Amino acid sequence: PVDPLYVTDYILCLAQGLGGRTRILEIVYDQWQSQIPISELQKKGYYAMETCFTNEYKREMYGSFLQLAEEGKIQVCGMDEKGHVEQFLRQLKALEREQKGDRIYYHHPTSGPVQHDDYVSAVANLIYRLSLLVRPTVESLQKNRRNGGPPRPSLRRVMPVKGSLLWGGQRGNILLKLRDRL
């Protein structure tokens, strides 16, 4: 079990290192019971949300993420001091895509050396949410409004580097970069 207050403090420390509330548009999570951190972050003025990973959402999220990756629009770069990028890449490689009739399902393996999808789910969710900021749908704008988020945030705050969307992790050592404005 993870102490929710530790998670909140950790996220606030990362957010401050990235420029605070004025530079952070949205905080996304892998799916877990995170109501305490979400409410604490929202009290401090951050737009934080827990994502319910339904099969439909995972299909959209992973489909969008994998398409951008295949097009070469996602780069993983930086120093992997604590093995996070390595773990992300292992989980991405092990991610299973299963088709049953006209439905597609994504899930982690149930056997073998990699049996989790936490890193790849969080990163895919982040990339999917960023892509919705670049090309919002009517549904995504309505959901943002319902959840207390900005109806359409300024992309200048998302793109601190010309033409790129950046996300920094582990004190900026690990960067995921979306190139060419998707």
Side-chain angles (χ1 to χ4, degrees), residues 3-152:
D3 180 357
L5 297 176
Y6 172 79
V7 172
T8 305
D9 290 343
Y10 180 77
I11 291 170
L12 288 171
C13 182
L14 282 177
Q16 288 303 319
L18 293 170
R21 270 192 338 232
T22 59
R23 303 273 306 198
I24 306 294
L25 290 177
E26 184 173 308
I27 297 170
V28 298
Y29 295 92
D30 182 11
Q31 181 174 291
W32 65 293
Q33 299 298 320
S34 55
Q35 290 308 310
I36 292 172
I38 287 174
S39 63
E40 289 300 313
L41 291 165
Q42 287 174 347
K43 283 180 196 174
K44 294 187 183 302
Y46 290 95
Y47 177 49
M49 60 179 271
E50 180 177 20
T51 307
C52 182
F53 283 19
T54 63
N55 281 328
E56 181 180 333
Y57 187 84
K58 285 169 74 171
R59 196 169 39 251
E60 291 174 21
M61 176 185 78
Y62 283 125
S64 173
F65 172 76
L66 294 171
Q67 179 182 354
L68 291 169
E70 286 173 8
E71 293 171 1
K73 294 184 177 180
I74 299 174
Q75 293 179 333
V76 179
C77 50
M79 296 183 334
D80 189 14
E81 294 174 6
K82 295 186 179 184
H84 298 293
V85 172
E86 173 78 24
Q87 184 67 14
F88 161 72
L89 293 173
R90 274 198 308 267
Q91 288 182 9
L92 179 60
K93 186 176 180 179
L95 186 65
E96 294 182 354
R97 180 184 185 270
E98 184 179 350
Q99 187 161 354
K100 292 182 180 178
D102 62 344
R103 294 197 175 249
I104 297 172
Y105 300 92
Y106 291 94
H107 52 84
H108 60 81
T110 55
S111 63
V114 178
Q115 295 184 29
H116 299 282
D117 62 359
D118 301 328
Y119 282 90
V120 74
S121 292
V123 170
N125 193 21
L126 174 70
I127 298 295
Y128 178 62
R129 298 295 302 164
L130 285 172
S131 68
L132 287 176
L133 291 174
V134 173
R135 292 198 177 118
T137 63
V138 171
E139 183 179 282
S140 70
L141 293 172
Q142 289 172 344
K143 186 174 183 176
N144 273 356
R145 208 169 297 119
R146 276 194 311 271
N147 291 333
R152 184 171 185 153

